[in-house]
Amino acid sequence: MYIHDGVDHRTRAHMLVRQLVDEHDSTYGVGSMTCSIYDTAWVAMITKQASGQTRWLFPSAFEYLMKSQHHDGGWHTTFSEIDAILNTLAALLALRKHIAFPYQIQHPSKEDLQHRQNRAIYYLEAKFSEWDVSATVSDGFETLVSKLLQLLLVEGVTFNFQGLETLNELRAKTAAKFNVSKLYGTVRSSAARSLEGLIGEIDFSRISQHRISGSMMASPASTAAYLMHTPTWDDEAEAYLNQILSVGGKRSVGGVPSQYPTTVFEVTQSLSVLLANGFSAEELGIYHLENAADFLEACLAIDAGVTGSAPYVESDADNTAKTLSVLSQLGRTPNPQGLVVRFETREFFKTYTQERNPSFRTNCLVLKALLDLLPGNSEQTPQIEKTVGFITNYWWTTNGEIEDLSNTSLNYPIMLMVDVLVRLLDLWEGGFAPILDDLPLRDKVFICLYQALTRTLQDQNDNGSWGRTQRCESTAYAVLILTKLAPLSSAPRVKSHLYQAIEKARKFLADNFRPLSEPDLVWKGKTTAGSSVIFQAFVLAALQAPIIKSSSKLSIESRFEMSLARIAIQTKYYARQSWFANVPEWQIQACLVESNLFLPQLKDVRYAVFPQSDLKDDQYFETIPFIWLAASNFDRRFIGPEFLYQMMILTFLNRQLDDYATNIIAGTFAGCLLEVEDILHDVFDELEQYTDKDQCYCDNHDLNMPRSSVSTNATASIADVRIVLHRFISHVLNHPYVLMASHHDQSHLRSELLGFLLGSVNQLPDQQPGSASVAGSSGSHSESDQTHHTYTFNFLSCLVGNQSLKGSVGLRRDFLDTPEQQYLAAAMCRHISIVSFMSSTALDQPIDHIVQQPTPVKSRISSFGMDNTHSRSVSSVSSSSSTYSHSDISPISAVSSNSSVPSTSPTSEDFPLSDKQSGSQSHDEVLSQSLQLTRLLSHERKCLNVCLQSLDAASINQPTANILGLFVDLSELSGLIFRDSNIGSCYQPTTAVEVIEEACTLSTFPMPPEKAKQRGSVAAARAALATEPLALSRNPSSNGTLCSEKPTLISDQEKIEITGTTTLQREWNWNRPIPTPHVRRTSRSSIEMARIECIMSEMGDSSRTTLPKPKINPMRKENQQNRPRAATEGQSVYSLPMPPFGDLAHKRVASADSTNVESTKLAKARAQVQRKLNGESQRKASTERHAREANEVDAQRRRASSLQAKAMAETTRAMSVHEPMPKRHLTAKELKKDTSPKAEVKIESNSVQEKGWIKAPPAEGVAKPSEKTQAKKLHRASRLGGPRLKLPF
């Protein structure tokens, strides 16, 4: 339990709620926002005439500004660039006014003020030179900055910078949308919150109706601007400013908060998070909660069921939804009709009535409010469906992390989404939310939640915090996310890392949280600010939130029927690949689980274009989602799931096209392949004249299209081939996202797709005897036309080129802005295609003829487009895909092997290294040609690196850099995985024997003992599984419990029964533990997974051409070489202790061969390791038990010593009183009791200090008897009933 200053977090939460209620002012309300430099500067510029003299009304505000200026001349409180600019501009304007008219302020001097002014000007000039105006995300910044620049120009200060023109354009667009007449009406408008940006443009005498207890929409800066420019002095506004100065003075004298009051905002935020995360109403205080509920209901009644951040402030959907949620949590039944009527639109809920742009945060809050009213109020089902669809689509179509306009933390919108979607799943399981009966929508919800989990875990810092500034409030958001999603995944490495992350985060909060310290500045307004009440509420909720471990909640692996054993094997396989050398295994496992979430949707459209009967079974189909997710997630690019899903479809369509062309087109058009080119030209001409977006055959809405006209014969007709090609081309060109792209991107895609198809046809072998080659009779095509990379990149550009930063699509803008960027991107794709073509040609040759070099390792430190907070470096893509040094080139490390390039290609003719041709050449000639191919590959990769560096110099933005880095990394990763023929073994088997046999190099069984001892042999794996099981003996002193201290071999009869079973009789359920009476066992899945992982870790991989994973992963803390080993070389040692098998001996996988010495050695080694581990655990438990007993004895001894010392002191004082007591005769019962022998008390005088005794000071003038004498007198008096002492107690 967290304790601070002797107060636990439950008591702290109760005090926080009481503070909200007790500090509420009947006139102004309550607010705990931090002081704002921007608002304080505007308050410091107010003057007032009194007794014929003009004086500064609030000189303390100007003193606060002088104390807050930094040494560099600026006023900055956070890392926000726009905050520093706004604060410094407003403070500089106040400086200029005080220099011109000092009035009663004499300190600081005029020279000092001028020096401060010059420093502020220098600071702003440096800031403006680096400011990217177009990339700034802040509400209304263009209006405020433009007005401050105009006011400074009047004061004689001028700024000229590169983004000034862009700023003026944004200001003009905002002004064109603003209607001044609405501000003069009686309806409250949000424009009254920023009146300082309208100075000189409005009549301040006509806006007094917007005052709320003297304030203008609870904004100090807006109120100050109103008071300075109103023709008649407003005493109520002056009283409001005096009130906020007194409120801000409690924290810092002279400062004013950024907004005051914020009663509804702070009450709803704090109560909702506390009540939802482990705090009961009794712990928070029933009386205070009832008062808060009555206050919130009164606020809703003011404005017809809606409210704002404070009473009478402009109502918004955020605070209204929060109020409805809190009232529902407190047992009230509010009516959401006002929320629906005021803020609902056709597709989403808007934040303000006059706002047009959607808000992810607002729709999450609205959905939470509507779900909290269920099941009592089910009238808003259409609104629930609308908001669920908007939230999932927004997440799916947003590239990168979602940024919120009200909070600087990236965890805040994720926390809102997780909270509401988890609530939706709970209601769906209870039968109250039938919306999730739709399978595609439910899959989207699970993908959103799982991506929220993995992204949050990836963003955690080493010390347990989140964010660049390592703030407590942002860390609290993340803890609430993880606690809600704790039961989501049962993958062992992901789950273990999740619990460790929560523990580290809570330790960080316990060490750094100080309730009375300055809160984190996370809430956005005109500038960022913090709330002490909300800050404490979220941190306390994070420390108190329970971690749900109930087995009733099905994990995502169980819902999608994933095999945890297979995922474990896949994790081991990928972790040994060089590309994943620096990736933690939990990230690999999480990516594998996430890839399985996409498979149901991909399988639905798998054969929507190409007939299933004309295709071979693709063993790489299930790896396609993993490849795209790995390239997106491991470098934290976080491309939108919608675009990744569309690219996954295109990837398997490319592979199906290759298969279809080789098996069907080549056979159907044998001897007349030129007709295929005519068909392609006809299809393109037809689609160019008639474009139909409904012909996207892999869209989710077109799955039931008729395909009866397609023949299923081995050799299809020409009409069938034309139909299939028409489907494929139509899917690419008529894709909805492609049709929304710019005309330039669409035309490039069309030309590149046609070139790719023609190049693929030219590579088909002409099977007609004596016919001429198509390649010789048709137009020539470059190597880049024979691979799909160029057109795939253009398709990806069309998908993401029309997307904005807010998750909307349909902007119809070019993916690359300048001709320079477009040319360099085309050159990049051309070099990737050539490298893929040459590498696939090298793959067709014997490996022994190629000079092999180490495959480059994927670097995680300098990764292309890794994070929005990192530099926009294009050339910092990975070392495996961009920084190709001459010594790290592998001639067979293809960028991609999707395009099949047979040995009859022109490159193969130039380098005839095939088996048929190599026999007629000498070894020196073959070696010379392989070296030439290696040098050419090195040259092409160097050219690719130059292209990336040039793109970096071309100043591309961060989203574009993420897409380019994704494509380059994907090309390298797909080539690494698709060229490995052993990949299928990680996706097909489900039983233990099949897993090991398929993951190893298959060989004949049985093998000689000397070969069986070699690491990596199948015989060793089988011997490990066929080890004789151990029969557990019962310990007589253990009351019938099973004891595994002295295992013995099973009996001969049991051995005969087991040896008859050499294979699994049934498939095991890896997700369900096996119940065993009288003993708690580990689940069989955990047992077999541990055994398989250990066997796989001990096995070599001599057959693979890629490098295995290093034995020591630098990203992992544990060192695999430090594992305890009890066996000699060639024996398998398990990393986890094996549980007792006992009655389950007949369910063993295989029996021990009597002639197999290896089995006996493994059994002995396992028993020895198990005894050692059990002995260590018992010794540790015994040590802890003795320590606890010693602590208890010491505590009892200290308590007894303190009581004895107190009694001795009282007795000593009583000895000085000599009042004889009347004698009393003992009763028969006392005499009988007194006959028992008494143990004489022994007190050693020399051990008084050691045993905790306290000596009482002797009385003045009275000799103090010894302690032994006192004890004897007391004992004698109690036995004989003699004169008693009158004790003071």
Side-chain angles (χ1 to χ4, degrees), residues 658 662 763 786 840 844 897-902:
D658 185 16
T662 304
Q763 290 301 311
Q786 299 169 13
S840 58
D844 291 335
S897 60
N898 290 353
S899 57
S900 177
V901 183

PDB file of all heavy atoms in Angstrom, residues 658 662 763 786 840 844 897-902:
ATOM      1  N   ASP A 658       1.785 -14.695 -59.239  1.00  0.00           N
ATOM      2  CA  ASP A 658       2.970 -15.431 -59.688  1.00  0.00           C
ATOM      3  C   ASP A 658       2.644 -16.900 -59.900  1.00  0.00           C
ATOM      4  O   ASP A 658       3.025 -17.511 -60.917  1.00  0.00           O
ATOM      5  CB  ASP A 658       4.074 -15.253 -58.644  1.00  0.00           C
ATOM      6  CG  ASP A 658       5.382 -15.879 -59.092  1.00  0.00           C
ATOM      7  OD1 ASP A 658       5.524 -16.167 -60.299  1.00  0.00           O
ATOM      8  OD2 ASP A 658       6.259 -16.086 -58.241  1.00  0.00           O
ATOM      9  N   THR A 662       2.385 -18.889 -63.612  1.00  0.00           N
ATOM     10  CA  THR A 662       3.252 -20.025 -63.914  1.00  0.00           C
ATOM     11  C   THR A 662       2.450 -21.280 -64.215  1.00  0.00           C
ATOM     12  O   THR A 662       2.806 -22.047 -65.138  1.00  0.00           O
ATOM     13  CB  THR A 662       4.200 -20.277 -62.720  1.00  0.00           C
ATOM     14  OG1 THR A 662       4.934 -19.085 -62.445  1.00  0.00           O
ATOM     15  CG2 THR A 662       5.168 -21.400 -63.041  1.00  0.00           C
ATOM     16  N   GLN A 763       8.619 -13.070 -68.823  1.00  0.00           N
ATOM     17  CA  GLN A 763       9.478 -14.026 -68.144  1.00  0.00           C
ATOM     18  C   GLN A 763       8.900 -15.431 -68.132  1.00  0.00           C
ATOM     19  O   GLN A 763       9.550 -16.362 -67.652  1.00  0.00           O
ATOM     20  CB  GLN A 763       9.724 -13.574 -66.699  1.00  0.00           C
ATOM     21  CG  GLN A 763      10.602 -12.336 -66.585  1.00  0.00           C
ATOM     22  CD  GLN A 763      11.964 -12.531 -67.198  1.00  0.00           C
ATOM     23  OE1 GLN A 763      12.627 -13.530 -66.926  1.00  0.00           O
ATOM     24  NE2 GLN A 763      12.386 -11.602 -68.038  1.00  0.00           N
ATOM     25  N   GLN A 786      10.177  -6.496 -63.655  1.00  0.00           N
ATOM     26  CA  GLN A 786       9.923  -7.911 -63.410  1.00  0.00           C
ATOM     27  C   GLN A 786       9.673  -8.204 -61.935  1.00  0.00           C
ATOM     28  O   GLN A 786       9.463  -9.354 -61.574  1.00  0.00           O
ATOM     29  CB  GLN A 786      11.111  -8.729 -63.929  1.00  0.00           C
ATOM     30  CG  GLN A 786      11.324  -8.560 -65.427  1.00  0.00           C
ATOM     31  CD  GLN A 786      12.638  -9.138 -65.887  1.00  0.00           C
ATOM     32  OE1 GLN A 786      13.289  -9.868 -65.141  1.00  0.00           O
ATOM     33  NE2 GLN A 786      13.044  -8.823 -67.115  1.00  0.00           N
ATOM     34  N   SER A 840      17.262 -12.840 -56.276  1.00  0.00           N
ATOM     35  CA  SER A 840      16.482 -14.036 -56.591  1.00  0.00           C
ATOM     36  C   SER A 840      17.178 -14.871 -57.651  1.00  0.00           C
ATOM     37  O   SER A 840      17.080 -16.104 -57.656  1.00  0.00           O
ATOM     38  CB  SER A 840      15.086 -13.635 -57.063  1.00  0.00           C
ATOM     39  OG  SER A 840      15.173 -12.796 -58.204  1.00  0.00           O
ATOM     40  N   ASP A 844      18.658 -18.924 -57.212  1.00  0.00           N
ATOM     41  CA  ASP A 844      18.459 -20.087 -58.065  1.00  0.00           C
ATOM     42  C   ASP A 844      19.725 -20.892 -58.276  1.00  0.00           C
ATOM     43  O   ASP A 844      19.679 -21.974 -58.838  1.00  0.00           O
ATOM     44  CB  ASP A 844      17.918 -19.639 -59.433  1.00  0.00           C
ATOM     45  CG  ASP A 844      16.500 -19.118 -59.324  1.00  0.00           C
ATOM     46  OD1 ASP A 844      15.817 -19.532 -58.370  1.00  0.00           O
ATOM     47  OD2 ASP A 844      16.095 -18.309 -60.174  1.00  0.00           O
ATOM     48  N   SER A 897      11.516 -11.924 -52.506  1.00  0.00           N
ATOM     49  CA  SER A 897      11.531 -13.056 -53.422  1.00  0.00           C
ATOM     50  C   SER A 897      10.143 -13.396 -53.907  1.00  0.00           C
ATOM     51  O   SER A 897       9.847 -14.511 -54.261  1.00  0.00           O
ATOM     52  CB  SER A 897      12.166 -14.279 -52.753  1.00  0.00           C
ATOM     53  OG  SER A 897      11.425 -14.631 -51.621  1.00  0.00           O
ATOM     54  N   ASN A 898       9.236 -12.417 -53.862  1.00  0.00           N
ATOM     55  CA  ASN A 898       7.882 -12.683 -54.332  1.00  0.00           C
ATOM     56  C   ASN A 898       7.862 -12.968 -55.829  1.00  0.00           C
ATOM     57  O   ASN A 898       7.139 -13.826 -56.299  1.00  0.00           O
ATOM     58  CB  ASN A 898       6.977 -11.491 -54.020  1.00  0.00           C
ATOM     59  CG  ASN A 898       6.716 -11.377 -52.554  1.00  0.00           C
ATOM     60  OD1 ASN A 898       7.092 -12.250 -51.797  1.00  0.00           O
ATOM     61  ND2 ASN A 898       6.070 -10.314 -52.130  1.00  0.00           N
ATOM     62  N   SER A 899       8.630 -12.206 -56.587  1.00  0.00           N
ATOM     63  CA  SER A 899       8.626 -12.392 -58.032  1.00  0.00           C
ATOM     64  C   SER A 899       9.536 -13.553 -58.394  1.00  0.00           C
ATOM     65  O   SER A 899      10.687 -13.600 -58.004  1.00  0.00           O
ATOM     66  CB  SER A 899       9.096 -11.115 -58.718  1.00  0.00           C
ATOM     67  OG  SER A 899      10.372 -10.774 -58.252  1.00  0.00           O
ATOM     68  N   SER A 900       8.999 -14.467 -59.104  1.00  0.00           N
ATOM     69  CA  SER A 900       9.760 -15.652 -59.486  1.00  0.00           C
ATOM     70  C   SER A 900      10.552 -15.355 -60.742  1.00  0.00           C
ATOM     71  O   SER A 900      10.013 -15.091 -61.791  1.00  0.00           O
ATOM     72  CB  SER A 900       8.804 -16.828 -59.723  1.00  0.00           C
ATOM     73  OG  SER A 900       9.509 -17.944 -60.157  1.00  0.00           O
ATOM     74  N   VAL A 901      11.879 -15.398 -60.647  1.00  0.00           N
ATOM     75  CA  VAL A 901      12.752 -15.144 -61.780  1.00  0.00           C
ATOM     76  C   VAL A 901      13.478 -16.443 -62.085  1.00  0.00           C
ATOM     77  O   VAL A 901      14.397 -16.828 -61.373  1.00  0.00           O
ATOM     78  CB  VAL A 901      13.749 -14.017 -61.481  1.00  0.00           C
ATOM     79  CG1 VAL A 901      14.583 -13.723 -62.695  1.00  0.00           C
ATOM     80  CG2 VAL A 901      13.000 -12.781 -61.028  1.00  0.00           C
ATOM     81  N   PRO A 902      13.094 -17.177 -63.099  1.00  0.00           N
ATOM     82  CA  PRO A 902      13.728 -18.458 -63.382  1.00  0.00           C
ATOM     83  C   PRO A 902      15.111 -18.282 -63.953  1.00  0.00           C
ATOM     84  O   PRO A 902      15.571 -17.187 -64.236  1.00  0.00           O
ATOM     85  CB  PRO A 902      12.774 -19.095 -64.402  1.00  0.00           C
ATOM     86  CG  PRO A 902      12.104 -17.931 -65.051  1.00  0.00           C
ATOM     87  CD  PRO A 902      11.982 -16.877 -64.014  1.00  0.00           C
TER      88      PRO A 902
END
